[in-house]
Amino acid sequence: MRFSALAALIAALAIPGFARAADAPAGALSCSGCHPGAAGVDTPAVRLVGLPATDIESAMRAYKSGARAATIMDRIAKGLGDDEIAAIAAWYASQPK
Amino acid sequence: MTHSTHRRGFMAGAGALALATPSLAQGAAGRVVVIGGGFAGATVARAIKAMDARVAVTLVEPNATFTACPFSNEVIVGLRGIEAQQFGYDGVRKAGVEVIVDTASAVDAEACVVTLAGGARLAYDRLVIAPGVDIAWGALPGYTPEAAEIMPHAWKAGAQTLLLRAQLEAMEDGGVVVISAPANPYRCPPGPYERASLIAWYLKTRKPKSKLLLLDAKDAFSKQKLFQNAWKELYPNLEWVSLSSGGKVVSVDPAGLVLETEFGKHKANVANVIPPQRAGAIAAAAGVADRSGWCPMDPVTFESTLRKNIHVIGDAAIAGAMPKSAFAANAQAKACAAAIVALLNGRAPAEPLLLNTCYSVAAPEYGFSVAGVYRPAKGLLNEVAGSGGASPVDAPEATRALEARLANGWYNTITAEVFG
Ligand SMILES: Cc1cc2nc3c(=O)[nH]c(=O)nc-3n(C[C@H](O)[C@H](O)[C@H](O)COP(=O)(O)OP(=O)(O)OC[C@H]3O[C@@H](n4cnc5c(N)ncnc54)[C@H](O)[C@@H]3O)c2cc1C
């Protein structure tokens, strides 16, 4: 269908970096308060879009356990369940860069 | 703003596509009207388009240029220009949102129609009310719109921010600046303390014989230990007067620049009155504000508990443990967008998981934060036990400097997502 293909394209651009916003698991869209969806934003926080799921997941687990030093991620990761972390990691990994 | 060339090219492509949106009207999955183009409203409008581009989204906002509050305390003390706070709506339009520059003046919740000051009538399937705060005129005796021209609140960014800055610049060295902070709830819980810190920094570096008095209607406040440590270390010129020491301002006299507390009168050379607030007036007009002046809503759908098909997000909402911050407004907006798209498509909305982080800067290169993770529970958004909290009190200088840089990074990130 022509309409739905166009709709999908517009959706992909409505929030840069979030091509699949409709499928975002709980919590995933809060991360982009700090981790930019778009490329080229001036911030020390890295883009999560397109990172391998295993990298995101292992980093989050390390922040949660305190094994990895952080200014803020330890406080955030402690509020998330392991299944939630896995879903968020998989979703970011699936976003086209 | 930090737009790379790559990004500009990307958005130009999006603009060309958005021109084609009217052809989608036949396939539209519903009509959403959003009142207020701030952190909450602009985010929900484009998030709905991101999740289901077939939904027709109209955003109503009276200002063609938005002026952001976060970092406006830095504008007041000359660390930043007001331009760094200002954003147009081209990015929102390019996302496929129809933006109408006007004020929503009435809502007919039965007929599902919004009336604009200019006379236009907009029908909706779902309405989002995100008007931020209004000053609760009348709540502080003596504090009127005219008084605010003499004793600025600077709690809505723009002309008020620049007025307070001009007053500070004009003040002679040896003067007394008085800030009054309100009782909870109000926009940006750590905001008055960040402002006090930065004004104390300004006085210390530019007008070293001057003093700052912070009169407070509370005994406890956000990131208190961190602020008080910074004050002890950096600002002997700053005195905080808590509620129980007589800090609550009960009336103001703009003619004499006097603030009266329960314990006495304070004459100021510059007076910054941060007054009591309530949800933007349209919320009460629409029937979604309760007697507190704020808007109760369902924490899963953000739908008003007082009016069907109307959602309330951002500062106007009663969000339980979530503070009134731009970060929270943006996070709520994305969860609200998901709920609205689900409802319009006949699906059950999923339980959201929300984050908040508020960075504060007590001096250039001296930042810290408070974070929280929130889930719906018993009709409110509750903080997840064992998570969140404030930066460590004993963090080294390098961490404070890093958090100050992260604060800037947060601002660049969120404004790029909302307005870029
Ligand atoms: C000094 C200061 C510092 C702050 N610092 C931070 C910070 O560091 N981090 C942080 O997260 N938050 C910060 N905040 C808080 C932040 O500014 C607010 O929480 C945020 O703006 C709330 O978003 P909102 O969309 O609810 O309201 P707003 O951003 O105020 O947007 C509301 C919009 O609705 C429009 N509107 C109102 N009525 C109508 C109507 N009838 N019709 C149409 N449009 C209407 C208004 O014009 C406005 O543009 C700070 C606030 C202040 C005052």
Side-chain angles (χ1 to χ4, degrees):
Chain A
M1 277 231 329
R2 195 166 56 90
F3 285 157
S4 62
L6 190 53
L9 261 171
I10 289 167
L13 298 171
I15 298 184
F18 286 177
R20 301 197 181 96
D23 307 325
L29 296 179
S30 273
C31 310
S32 69
C34 295
H35 295 282
V41 178
D42 181 12
T43 174
V46 301
R47 282 178 79 211
L48 299 176
V49 172
L51 284 187
T54 47
D55 289 10
I56 298 175
E57 206 175 331
S58 60
M60 289 296 283
R61 282 166 177 270
Y63 287 133
K64 194 174 167 178
S65 72
R68 186 163 167 178
T71 59
I72 191 106
M73 283 309 299
D74 48 348
R75 290 179 266 158
I76 291 173
K78 282 180 182 135
L80 274 60
D82 290 345
D83 46 341
E84 288 171 326
I85 289 172
I88 292 172
W91 181 79
Y92 271 107
S94 78
Q95 295 291 302
K97 252 194 167 167
Chain B
M1 285 204 305
T2 52
H3 291 240
S4 70
T5 340
H6 166 84
R7 192 171 154 69
R8 238 178 259 129
F10 184 75
M11 290 315 291
L17 268 171
L19 291 175
T21 40
S23 65
L24 293 168
Q26 308 138 34
R31 294 158 304 175
V32 175
V33 174
V34 180
I35 298 176
F39 284 98
T43 304
V44 76
R46 56 198 296 177
I48 290 171
K49 290 305 273 187
M51 291 169 188
D52 186 348
R54 300 168 308 146
V55 179
V57 183
T58 304
L59 176 67
V60 182
E61 163 62 50
N63 303 301
T65 301
F66 178 76
T67 306
C69 285
F71 278 91
S72 65
N73 288 332
E74 296 207 349
V75 176
I76 290 167
V77 299
L79 282 167
R80 203 176 162 90
I82 192 84
E83 319 76 52
Q85 305 302 116
Q86 293 179 321
F87 302 89
Y89 288 93
D90 287 352
V92 179
R93 287 195 177 91
K94 283 171 183 164
V97 175
E98 182 192 11
V99 180
I100 300 180
V101 179
D102 203 342
T103 302
S105 53
V107 174
D108 184 335
E110 291 300 314
C112 294
V113 172
V114 178
T115 304
L116 308 188
R121 288 164 56 81
L122 306 173
Y124 62 82
D125 297 304
R126 295 269 161 188
L127 173 65
V128 182
I129 296 190
V133 300
D134 269 348
I135 306 303
W137 303 114
L140 177 60
Y143 203 64
T144 58
E146 297 72 45
E149 296 303 315
I150 300 165
M151 301 173 133
H153 52 78
W155 220 240
K156 290 187 174 203
Q160 279 277 312
T161 313
L162 296 175
L163 176 60
L164 181 55
R165 170 173 167 164
Q167 290 186 350
L168 282 175
E169 282 169 355
M171 188 183 83
E172 283 188 22
D173 193 6
V176 178
V177 179
V178 182
I179 300 179
S180 81
N184 292 319
Y186 61 94
R187 155 175 289 180
C188 194
Y193 311 95
E194 177 184 80
R195 177 171 293 172
S197 307
L198 289 175
I199 291 181
W201 171 83
Y202 173 83
L203 296 178
K204 184 177 155 180
T205 50
R206 306 288 163 75
K207 308 195 174 179
K209 285 181 268 172
S210 312
K211 284 215 148 32
L212 174 71
L213 190 61
L214 172 54
L215 302 174
D216 204 335
K218 302 181 293 300
D219 278 326
F221 58 87
S222 173
K223 292 179 261 192
Q224 183 163 355
K225 276 206 187 112
L226 290 158
F227 278 113
Q228 287 182 321
N229 267 12
W231 297 345
K232 211 163 123 191
E233 195 181 317
L234 302 171
Y235 305 129
N237 57 351
L238 188 164
E239 186 191 349
W240 175 62
V241 185
S242 68
L243 170 69
S244 43
S245 331
K248 186 183 176 184
V249 173
V250 292
S251 75
V252 297
D253 167 21
L257 276 178
V258 171
L259 298 91
E260 189 181 357
T261 67
E262 284 167 334
F263 288 28
K265 290 186 177 181
H266 299 274
K267 165 98 179 94
N269 295 95
V270 171
N272 169 213
V273 176
I274 305 170
Q277 297 147 42
R278 58 185 169 226
I282 191 67
V288 295
D290 70 14
R291 249 181 275 160
S292 72
W294 306 100
C295 307
M297 50 80 178
D298 178 274
V300 175
T301 59
F302 300 86
E303 187 167 356
S304 166
T305 56
L306 302 175
R307 292 281 183 279
K308 273 198 160 29
N309 304 320
I310 303 182
H311 303 250
V312 188
I313 50 174
D315 285 358
I318 298 173
M322 274 192 112
K324 298 187 188 304
S325 74
F327 192 113
N330 169 263
Q332 289 166 11
K334 287 178 273 190
C336 177
I340 286 176
V341 167
L343 290 165
L344 289 173
N345 286 290
R347 296 193 309 264
E351 287 245 325
L353 168 70
L354 295 155
L355 305 181
N356 178 63
T357 301
C358 290
Y359 286 104
S360 295
V361 282
E365 304 291 297
Y366 193 123
F368 43 73
S369 56
V370 61
V373 183
Y374 306 87
R375 294 175 195 279
K378 299 194 180 118
L380 285 171
L381 287 160
N382 276 17
E383 193 160 359
V384 176
S387 70
S391 303
V393 177
D394 55 359
E397 224 171 84
T399 305
R400 299 276 185 249
L402 176 56
E403 287 220 278
R405 279 204 294 132
L406 285 163
N408 272 287
W410 164 78
Y411 181 81
N412 296 339
T413 301
I414 195 163
T415 55
E417 182 177 292
V418 180
F419 298 106

